[in-house]
Each structure stands twice: as C-alpha cells, then as structure tokens.
Amino acid sequence: MTTRPTQPLTLVVGAGGLVGRHLVTAHGRARHEVRVAAVPWGDEGESISALLLALDDFSRARQGRPWSVAWCAGAGVVATAEDALAAEVRVFDRVMGALAASVGPDEDGVVFLASSAGGVYAGSTGAPFDERTDAAPLVPYGRAKLAMEDTVQRVASETGVRAVIGRLANVYGPGQTLGKPQGLLSQLCLADATGRPLPLYVSMDTIRDYLYVGDAATMIVRCLELVRGEPRGAVVTKVLSSGRPVTVGYLVSEARRVFHRPLRTIAVGGAGTGQVLDLRLASRVWPDVDALASTPLAAGLSRTAADVRARVVSGGPLDP
C-alpha cells in the first residue's frame, strides 16, 4: 500500500518573481513540499488555464495534509493601466473561485496574498500607517490590490480556510526584475553597474520603508504558521515592513557609501498621483514577526548590488 505524504504542501503562485522565488526557498527551509505555478501574464485566458491546471494538480496532492497557497504573482505596478490591472484581478478571482470550490470540510488550508502597503495607503493620512489605518488608494494599482483582498475575505468566509493578507513595504533584493519601472534600490544598483545616471521621479525627502526580500519571505512563512492558530475562516491583515523608514536622499547617500564610488542621479520629477511623500509603516499585529526583518539596509544594498553587477557583467538578460 502506498503511504501518502504528511508534510505540509505549499503552492507558490508567481514563483518567478522576487518575493515568490525567495518564498519557495523559505518554505523549503521550513520542510514544506513546495509546488510552483508561473503566470503567462501576456494572455488572460492562458493565465487562467495554466493556473487552473496547477491548482488541479495541487488539489489532488494536498488531500489529508496541511496546505497553503501563496499568491505572489502580479505584473502590475503603480503606473500600470486600469484595464491591465482589471485583467489581473479577474485571473485572481477565477483561480480563487476554483480553489474555494475544491475545498472540502475541515481542511487545514491557508491562503496568503501579497498585497501592497504603498498601493493601499497612498492616500491615507496619519503616517506611520498600520493595520487599523483606513485604506485610501489613489490609483488603479491600489484599488486592484484592495479588490483582491476582498476576494480573499470572501473565500475564507465561504470555505473556512484561514488567510493572511500581507501588505508589503518596498521589497528589494537579489533577483529583482529590472525591466519594470519600479524598485528604486535595484535601479540604483543598476545605475552603478552600468555607469548611467539614474532619473529620480520623486523628491529626495520622500520617505519609504525598504524590506529585504529574504526577511520578507521568512516573515511570510511565520505568518502562515501563526494563522493556523486562529479560528477557521479567520483573515489576518499584516503590514510587513522593516520598521526603519528612510528618505530617498538617505538611500542615495547610503548607496554611494556602499558602492565606494560616485553615483549620478538626475531629478526629473513627474511621479504622478500614485507616489506620495510619506509612506512610513508600522504594525500592531503579531509584533514578534517584525523582529525577523533583521537585514541592515547596507547589507541588503551590498547583496543586491553584487547580484545586479553579476547580471550586467555576464552580458545575459537583466531579468532572471
């Protein structure tokens, strides 16, 4: 007779992205069996088909085991057009609907959604923002994240699975996609590696929280462990940040110090309504998790710069 595995099973959607890739590693350290699902974002129908196939395989494998689905996928950024973001939301809704339909009674399942603190709090007042702050998105990107959060709430209510909504700070680290118009810290590293000046679209006194991706992944795994102690159907929203906000000016200065050479920047402005001056973050939920954000900015900068420089020197594609 074949013995079914009993170790936790995790499906990471968006495992090719920065957070997803590191979350696969973190779950592996936690001795989970990890399965991955890529999303071909160029075509909505293909995205749905690919994810439903991955979910069907996952559904068969998870029987009788504690499981989690971590949604870390998304091609959109703050400047993405509303119609493209609407397609992402439709893909998410379709897949979450299929997951809900497949959940049997008393399953020990957890859903994680990587949301965006910057997106949902862009128009909020009274920084630092925490889980009690009223969300006030300014652009379609933030509204799309809130729509996905609503879907998670509905799935948990309908099925009894537990869920964590992680409102992430600006995540950075080795492996970040350099082709997207996002990731100031990685773009600083790219400017250093290529010798090109970096255009800055926000003022030097803009405040952001930068969370090293390895820390973010470890924090997410811990959140998924903690939520299993909550009642069935519970949804916990958690701000995931370093708790060490800095200005863009400080970040540029620190980059110059870490790189040991000049770094040219060009102030061009024109960031648009999605970028606000003060996005300090705090958290009142599961405070012990916050201690896992332990990587100093200088150390994270150094690791990211080494990764970016290696990609530039190799002459291969800049995106992993």
Side-chain angles (χ1 to χ4, degrees):
M1 183 177 66
T2 302
T3 302
R4 294 187 64 86
T6 58
Q7 69 183 126
L9 178 67
T10 295
L11 174 66
V12 177
V13 182
L18 180 64
V19 174
R21 187 181 306 112
H22 285 262
L23 190 56
V24 168
T25 301
H27 270 114
R29 288 197 302 266
R31 300 186 182 279
H32 285 221
E33 180 186 341
V34 182
R35 302 195 176 197
V36 301
V39 187
W41 284 119
D43 184 282
E44 182 177 342
E46 289 184 6
S47 297
I48 292 172
S49 296
L51 288 173
L52 291 181
L53 283 174
L55 185 61
D56 187 56
D57 178 66
F58 175 76
S59 298
R60 289 192 297 270
R62 75 173 193 250
Q63 299 303 314
R65 306 165 66 179
W67 56 267
S68 57
V69 173
W71 187 280
C72 304
V77 296
V78 171
T80 300
E82 187 167 7
D83 56 347
L85 289 163
E88 288 194 18
V89 173
R90 288 194 297 269
V91 170
F92 181 74
D93 286 352
R94 179 70 181 276
V95 175
M96 287 296 104
L99 174 65
S102 73
V103 174
D106 302 321
E107 284 196 41
D108 184 9
V110 174
V111 172
F112 172 78
L113 170 64
S115 187
S116 167
V120 304
Y121 295 132
S124 301
T125 58
F129 308 125
D130 61 35
E131 294 86 0
R132 301 180 306 176
T133 301
D134 290 335
L138 294 177
V139 295
Y141 176 74
R143 292 191 286 273
K145 293 300 182 184
L146 282 183
M148 295 167 75
E149 291 185 11
D150 288 344
T151 297
V152 171
Q153 295 276 359
R154 185 174 66 251
V155 168
S157 175
E158 293 174 353
T159 66
V161 301
R162 299 164 178 87
V164 176
I165 295 170
R167 290 179 173 172
L168 289 154
N170 289 37
V171 179
Y172 75 97
Q176 184 153 26
T177 297
L178 301 174
K180 285 185 182 181
Q182 65 171 9
L184 174 58
L185 194 146
S186 294
Q187 293 298 321
L188 282 168
C189 296
L190 182 60
D192 172 66
T194 60
R196 301 170 186 163
L198 175 71
L200 289 177
Y201 296 92
V202 295
S203 66
M204 286 290 193
D205 57 351
T206 300
I207 302 173
R208 295 291 184 268
D209 187 296
Y210 296 93
L211 177 62
Y212 185 68
V213 66
D215 294 345
T218 302
M219 295 167 81
I220 292 168
V221 171
R222 182 59 181 147
C223 287
L224 295 182
E225 293 169 348
L226 289 171
V227 80
R228 293 188 190 276
E230 299 291 329
R232 285 181 54 79
V235 180
V236 177
T237 299
K238 169 70 176 173
V239 170
L240 297 169
S241 68
S242 73
R244 299 181 292 273
V246 298
T247 65
V248 170
Y250 177 87
L251 178 61
V252 171
S253 176
E254 188 71 353
R256 287 171 175 152
R257 187 185 69 80
V258 170
F259 300 156
H260 301 295
R261 53 181 163 265
L263 178 67
R264 293 184 296 158
T265 61
I266 302 173
V268 295
T273 57
Q275 301 288 352
V276 295
L277 185 64
D278 188 352
L279 267 173
R280 286 173 293 148
L281 302 170
S283 179
R284 297 177 180 271
V285 175
W286 295 333
D288 290 351
V289 172
D290 302 334
L292 298 174
S294 58
T295 302
L297 180 61
L301 253 172
S302 180
R303 295 170 196 170
T304 307
D307 170 70
V308 172
R309 194 173 299 118
R311 283 190 263 167
V312 171
V313 170
S314 72
L318 292 181
D319 293 338

